[in-house]
């Protein structure tokens, strides 16, 4: 026995694949499916979701004399196709079209029955018993060779199926005249029906049956009888008449039927190629009529009329009439659907979707009261203290929001805009703490040194205290990385009692980051400044615009130009963000900018700011900061107490000189942190503190020193001079080397020099040639010698107007053969007349000279004013020599023996 109704896509005994497994049908009833060919393939199952029955149809050759068993198809003689027919479900049927997963029952392995195991081919019919059990069905008319799964539920019907299975396996299926009758009598049944053979049967747990039947022949009931609890009938089979070759009229009707069928399939959007191949392979008018009728949407009365028609030609005419009606109905249905699709505009679709969303929200318990949301938003706007102009715009948007559907996309944009207006601090101000003495204490606690910067901050606070309405300037802290520019802004906010926010401008290229996006864009939002004010919740915070020198520009706009309005006290009281589109007062905000260098800041933007230079820290300042701030902080971050690790001052100085070379403190803090981590590991391994770092331990813990003062030589070779350069990271000491060679006056410059330094070298050569006699060199040296000017560290680009005096000194040293003092460094630009011009970065350069152990430094005389910014203890460690002309420099560079 087998539990399979029909094949699941695997080859059967003949090697053919008869079909795919169908979905289970749970509806009350379905329209029949037909197989007009000789080889049955029980692959029929209605689709409950859309009322369409999918039927696998196989056809064999018409002239094949062999009979084909129900479970086996002749190889090479079949063609499989799925035909879709309508199947509107109805409740209370005795026989219902169903698919099922397995079968059980008597003789499941012998579906052919006891009297015949073959399916008739052509007019030949099996031998039938004298009486057959009657199975009443409703809403279904079974045609010849039609394979149909039925669900049998009524007791009489179950007994009729059992009787057929116990006997010949043949049933007489008759359709009820009245579908509502639950216990039909003989007069309630149509006398003409179909003899079917039971191919499969499955018993359900509730004694109901699932059976798979195949139509064998039309039959007419001669008389009804009563069996053991079920109806029986003596039947007369109605065989199909034998026909010869089709006549012209028959061929015309068959072609018309095929064309109408193809048109119906096209209107319903069903693929027609395989189905039309099946219809074209049937040449018998009667079979073609039965095949089409089994899959045609008809009333039961019309289908019964076709079943009762025994003349093939007349039956095909009836089918053609039904096809014409169905074509008209399908065409009108397609036209109505097209008109309905065209007539439904976007608003109707949106309304339908919104109503669905409402229903879903109600089911989920998420539905809210839109009126309450509007009231809450109105109250929030009233509490926010909007200015009159802004309140007017907010009321306008509120009225628009009230007239919109709450789920529309535009309503979401307006609601978000109003929420931004309500949450911005239009009237919220922090109370300034203008105690100058306390502010001084806070600044001294957070930062060591930086006296000029602290004085300027205290001046700003003093003016604010005396004149609260004053428009303070925009401060810009300029200096190398790690000197405390950002932390200064945080200390200012703490001293004033204001909130602090840092906005990084590095790499910003989109103007909308400052001004915001317009609300017409998807994902629009205000600029970074308005966002910061919303987060802080106050209109007078301290906003630090970090890295203002690293702003870029591209096709999205120029952020530096947008900052002109933000940083101008005469304009920012009515700053307009593109998203808000209403003025916002930024005059109460204290803006502080930071930059590493001023050259890359656009001049109009730089003009808006007051620049305060923070050049860097001296050795003493670094030592004090490391002792007071860095070492305790790193000890705490690494799980140590300040008392557990002890680093002498001498070792901190060695770390500063041998492991770092910077104007700020970042690398120094990293090295101290590395030192604390090594000590923390020793503590974690079980050693007990306190731990004292000794000179022997320093190299073991931090490795060999990274910077060695190789340039501190007892004597310099002729042609070498030490210059001073400024970089964004502090000052540096540069070697300038000049080598004369026999030649014809050629000049070679290496070391990746910029145009300004090349011009300084040319000016030095021209000055030396013009003053050859006074300088004690041969006047024609430029014709006999080639000069090679080189600045080491060629991988680093070098440029700037402060190398002129160094070039002249190195050139004269190379030509005369006299070495320059090894403890002397210099900076300054020269003219062709020998004048020494002022340069910038004096403090950074002197700091670099002191760090390298220089004893003397030459600076332009006009830079003497810059010495005021240099601590006195630093000036005591190096002697400064101001010069105004090269003649003043030469005695210092070449001292007499």
């Amino acid at each position: 026995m087998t539990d399979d109704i029909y094949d699941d896509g695997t080859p059967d005994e003949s090697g053919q694949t008869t079909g795919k497994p169908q979905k289970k049908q749970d509806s009350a009833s379905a329209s029949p499916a037909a197989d007009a060919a000789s080889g049955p393939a029980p692959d029929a199952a209605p689709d409950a979701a859309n009322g369409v029955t999918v039927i696998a149809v196989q056809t064999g050759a018409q002239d094949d004399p062999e009979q084909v068993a129900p479970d086996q198809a002749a190889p090479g003689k079949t063609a499989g196709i799925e035909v879709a027919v309508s199947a509107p479900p109805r409740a209370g049927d005795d026989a219902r079209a169903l698919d099922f997963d397995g079968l059980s029952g008597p003789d499941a392995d012998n579906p052919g029955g006891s009297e015949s195991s073959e399916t008739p081919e052509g007019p030949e019919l099996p031998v039938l018993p004298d009486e057959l059990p009657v199975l009443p069905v409703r809403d279904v008319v079974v045609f010849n060779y039609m394979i149909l799964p039925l669900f049998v539920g009524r007791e009489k019907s179950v007994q009729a199926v059992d009787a057929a299975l116990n006997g010949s396996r043949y049933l007489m299926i008759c359709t009820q005249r009245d579908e509502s009758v639950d216990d039909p009598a003989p007069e309630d049944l149509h006398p003409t029906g179909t003899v079917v053979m039971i191919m499969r049967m499955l018993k359900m747990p509730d004694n109901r049956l699932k059976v798979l039947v195949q139509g064998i022949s039309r039959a007419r009931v001669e008389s009804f009888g009563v069996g053991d609890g079920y109806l029986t009938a003596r039947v007369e089979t109605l065989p199909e008449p034998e026909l010869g070759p089709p006549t012209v009229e028959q061929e015309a009707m068959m072609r018309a039927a095929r064309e109408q069928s193809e048109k119906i399939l096209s209107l319903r959007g069903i693929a027609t190629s395989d189905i039309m191949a099946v219809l074209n392979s049937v040449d018998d008018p009667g079979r073609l009529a039965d095949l089409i009728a089994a899959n045609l949407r008809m009333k039961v009365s019309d289908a019964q009329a076709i079943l009762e028609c025994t003349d093939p030609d007349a039956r095909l005419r009836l089918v053609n009439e039904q096809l014409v009606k169905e074509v008209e109905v399908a065409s009108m249905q397609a036209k109505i659907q097209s008109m309905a699709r065209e007539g439904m505009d976007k608003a109707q679709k949106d309304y339908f979707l919104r109503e669905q969303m409402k229903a879903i929200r109600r089911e989920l318990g998420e539905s809210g009261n839109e009126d309450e949301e509007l009231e809450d938003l109105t109250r929030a706007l009233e509490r926010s203290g909007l200015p009159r102009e802004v309140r007017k715009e907010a009321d306008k948007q509120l009225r628009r929001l009230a007239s919109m559907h709450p789920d529309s996309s535009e309503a979401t944009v307006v609601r978000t805009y109003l929420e931004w207006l309500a949450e911005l601090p239009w009237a919220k101000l922090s109370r300034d703490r203008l105690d100058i003495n306390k502010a001084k204490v806070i600044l001294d606690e957070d930062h060591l040194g930086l006296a000029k910067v602290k004085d300027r901050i205290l001046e700003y606070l003093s003016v604010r205290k005396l004149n609260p309405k004053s428009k303070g300037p925009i401060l810009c802290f300029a200096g190398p990385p790690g000197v405390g520019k950002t932390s200064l802004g945080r200390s200012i906010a703490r001293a004033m009692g204001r909130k602090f926010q840092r906005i990084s401008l590095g790499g910003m290229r989109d103007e909308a980051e400052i001004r915001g996006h317009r609300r017409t864009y998807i994902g629009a939002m205000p600029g970074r400044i308005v966002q910061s004010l919303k987060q802080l919740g106050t209109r007078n915070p301290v906003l630090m615009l970090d890295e203002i020198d690293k702003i870029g520009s591209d096709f999205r706009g120029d952020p530096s130009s947008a900052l002109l309005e933000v940083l101008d006290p005469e304009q920012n009281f009515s700053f307009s963000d593109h998203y808000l589109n209403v003025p916002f007062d930024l005059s109460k905000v204290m803006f502080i900018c930071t930059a590493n260098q001023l050259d890359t800041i656009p001049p109009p933007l730089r003009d808006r700011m007051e620049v305060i230079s923070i050049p860097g820290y001296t050795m003493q300042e670094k030592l004090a900061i490391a002792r007071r701030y860095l070492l305790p902080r790193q000890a705490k971050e690494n799980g140590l107490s300040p008392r557990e690790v002890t680093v002498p001052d001498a070792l901190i100085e060695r770390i500063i000189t041998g492991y770092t070379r910077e104007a700020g403190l970042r690398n120094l803090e990293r090295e101290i942190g590395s030192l604390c981590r090594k000590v923390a590991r020793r503590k974690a391994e079980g050693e007990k503190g306190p731990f004292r770092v000794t000179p022997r331990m320093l190299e073991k813990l931090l490795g060999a020193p990274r910077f060695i003062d190789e340039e501190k030589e007892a004597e310099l070779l002729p042609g070498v001079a030490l210059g001073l350069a400024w970089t964004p990271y502090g000052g540096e000491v540069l070697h300038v080397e000049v080598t004369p060679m026999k030649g014809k006056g050629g000049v070679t410059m290496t070391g990746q020099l910029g145009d300004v330094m090349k011009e300084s070298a040319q000016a030095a050569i021209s000055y030396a040639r013009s003053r050859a006699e006074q300088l004690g060199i041969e006047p024609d040296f430029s014709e006999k010698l080639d000069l090679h000017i080189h600045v080491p560290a060629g991988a680093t680009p070098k440029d700037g107007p402060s190398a002129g005096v160094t070039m002249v000194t190195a050139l004269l040293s190379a030509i005369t053969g006299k070495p320059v003092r090894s403890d002397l460094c210099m900076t300054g630009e020269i003219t062709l007349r020998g004048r020494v011009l002022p340069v910038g970065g004096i403090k950074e350069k002197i700091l670099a000279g002191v760090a390298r152990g220089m004893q003397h430094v030459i600076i332009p005389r006009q830079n003497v004013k810059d010495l005021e910014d240099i601590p006195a203890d630093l000036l005591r460690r190096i002697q400064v020599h101001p010069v105004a002309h090269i003649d003043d420099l030469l005695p210092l560079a070449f001292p007499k023996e």
Side-chain angles (χ1 to χ4, degrees), residues 503-516 527-529 545-568 575 578 593 600-602 604-606 608-609:
I503 301 176
S504 178
L505 304 180
M508 183 181 291
R509 296 179 178 273
D510 191 353
E511 181 182 351
E513 293 286 340
I514 303 297
R515 291 191 177 274
R528 298 277 296 277
I529 293 175
L545 305 179
D546 210 2
E547 310 291 351
I548 198 172
D549 58 326
K550 298 177 178 61
I551 295 179
S553 61
D554 58 10
F555 64 94
R556 291 169 291 186
D558 185 5
S560 61
S561 299
L563 284 174
L564 294 177
E565 182 183 1
V566 175
L567 300 180
D568 190 349
F575 173 72
H578 285 164
C593 304
T600 57
I601 302 176
L605 183 59
R606 182 177 176 181
R608 297 288 198 279
M609 302 180 295

Side-chain angles (χ1 to χ4, degrees), residues 185 289 627 664 668 679 807 877:
R627 173 67 58 198
L668 177 59
V679 174
M807 295 283 186
R877 300 179 60 181

Side-chain angles (χ1 to χ4, degrees), residues 78-100:
T78 63
I81 184 61
E82 289 186 350
V83 182
V85 298
S86 173
R90 293 177 58 89
D93 291 346
D94 264 341
R96 305 172 187 177
L98 278 178
D99 190 0
F100 40 94

Side-chain angles (χ1 to χ4, degrees), residues 340-396:
R341 283 194 298 268
E342 294 175 357
M344 182 180 295
D345 56 7
K346 185 178 182 301
Q348 292 172 322
K349 293 180 181 179
D350 291 346
Y351 176 79
F352 177 72
L353 294 175
R354 292 190 196 106
E355 293 301 320
Q356 283 187 327
M357 290 177 63
K358 284 183 179 180
I360 293 172
R361 288 177 178 174
R362 282 194 296 269
E363 291 296 329
L364 296 176
E366 298 179 356
S367 59
N369 193 331
E370 290 79 8
D371 295 336
E372 292 183 2
E373 293 181 2
L374 281 176
E375 292 176 2
D376 293 341
L377 195 55
T378 303
R379 286 194 295 267
L381 290 171
E382 291 175 354
R383 291 193 301 265
S384 61
L386 299 177
R388 182 179 301 175
E389 296 180 3
V390 182
R391 180 67 195 195
K392 183 178 179 181
E393 178 65 19
D395 291 340
K396 176 182 176 182

